Amino acid sequence: MTEGILFDAEMLTTLALTLKLATVTTVLLLALGTPLAWWLSRGGGLWKEIVATLVSLPIVLPPTVLGFYLLIAMGPHSPLTDLLGFKLSFTFAGLVVGSVVYSLPFVVNPIRNAFAAMGPRPMEVAATLRASPLNAFFTVALPQATPGLITGAILGFAHTVGEFGVVLMIGGGIPGRTKVLSVTIFDYVETLEWDKAHVLAGGMLAMSFVVILAMMLIERRYGAGARR
């Protein structure tokens, strides 16, 4: 019976879709979140604090609330849909947009903290060596922010894999298109397919353990390096 569960076609399709969503979302989060984190880490100002607050809202906002407003924003009669010419709700692209918004603080905040911990001195030294701001960013700032980048990527990927409320509101759980692991587990529990739910839930539990362990090891490694 276990063999049939492990090789269930629906489970494999769901797993592939979830990993695809998490990978695409993580790449976009790093591409968008890194420059945003850099800007937020450079000095203060009311506007930066307002932007930082907006970025961090998904941490405390109930996922169903965020998903509800994203569903309205991406619905068939929204200004965004009129602008694009097609709706994003109940599509894979819509899941990506929702996942980026939902997981943004889990990527931006670690990277921002890493940039802030670096201090202004390395960039000042690079400037005295006539490095352009862009060149200094890629050759000085990014390498020094490596722990934050790695932590942000791990958190962004794991958070996307585990999200439920947002993807359910936006995607609706369409098999093969928007039905991810968390929604599948919920459906298995509703239909009393406990064995299948155990397989997926156990896998996500193991992944969560690995994520936390990886973050602790990264912090230990780079923390020890900084003290030396």
Side-chain angles (χ1 to χ4, degrees):
M1 183 176 179
T2 303
E3 182 179 354
I5 294 171
L6 291 176
F7 290 96
D8 182 273
E10 181 184 7
M11 294 171 66
L12 293 176
T13 300
T14 300
L15 177 61
L17 181 66
T18 304
L19 293 177
K20 178 183 176 182
L21 174 63
T23 301
V24 172
T25 299
T26 302
V27 171
L28 289 176
L29 282 169
L30 289 174
L32 298 173
T34 301
L36 177 58
W38 173 252
W39 178 72
L40 290 173
S41 69
R42 299 295 94 184
L46 179 60
W47 281 110
K48 287 190 177 182
E49 294 308 318
I50 292 175
V51 172
T53 300
L54 290 174
V55 168
S56 298
L57 266 181
I59 296 177
V60 297
L61 199 63
T64 49
V65 173
L66 180 61
F68 171 70
Y69 284 112
L70 285 173
L71 180 61
I72 291 177
M74 296 188 292
H77 305 296
S78 69
L80 179 61
T81 299
D82 293 338
L83 178 65
L84 296 175
F86 57 90
K87 67 182 182 70
L88 289 170
S89 57
F90 306 107
T91 65
F92 179 79
L95 288 187
V96 171
V97 173
S99 299
V100 167
V101 174
Y102 186 47
S103 296
L104 189 61
F106 297 90
V107 175
V108 170
N109 289 342
I111 300 175
R112 179 189 181 185
N113 292 337
F115 282 142
M118 181 182 73
R121 182 62 179 168
M123 298 299 288
E124 291 172 356
V125 172
T128 61
L129 297 175
R130 298 184 179 180
S132 67
L134 187 62
N135 184 45
F137 174 75
F138 282 105
T139 59
V140 178
L142 278 184
Q144 293 210 25
T146 297
L149 290 166
I150 296 175
T151 300
I154 293 174
L155 282 178
F157 187 92
H159 197 251
T160 303
V161 170
E163 63 183 321
F164 174 72
V166 172
V167 292
L168 182 61
M169 294 288 286
I170 299 173
I174 304 172
R177 290 177 56 190
T178 62
K179 191 173 185 180
V180 294
L181 280 175
S182 56
V183 178
T184 303
I185 293 173
F186 180 78
D187 287 347
Y188 283 154
V189 172
E190 276 201 319
T191 56
L192 302 181
E193 297 179 83
W194 299 102
D195 291 337
K196 292 183 178 181
H198 273 304
V199 171
L200 295 183
M204 294 185 74
L205 178 62
M207 186 200 72
S208 300
F209 176 83
V210 171
V211 166
I212 295 174
L213 178 62
M215 289 176 57
M216 294 176 65
L217 292 175
I218 291 170
E219 183 179 353
R220 180 179 178 182
R221 175 183 175 184
Y222 285 96
R227 287 191 293 269
R228 283 199 295 268

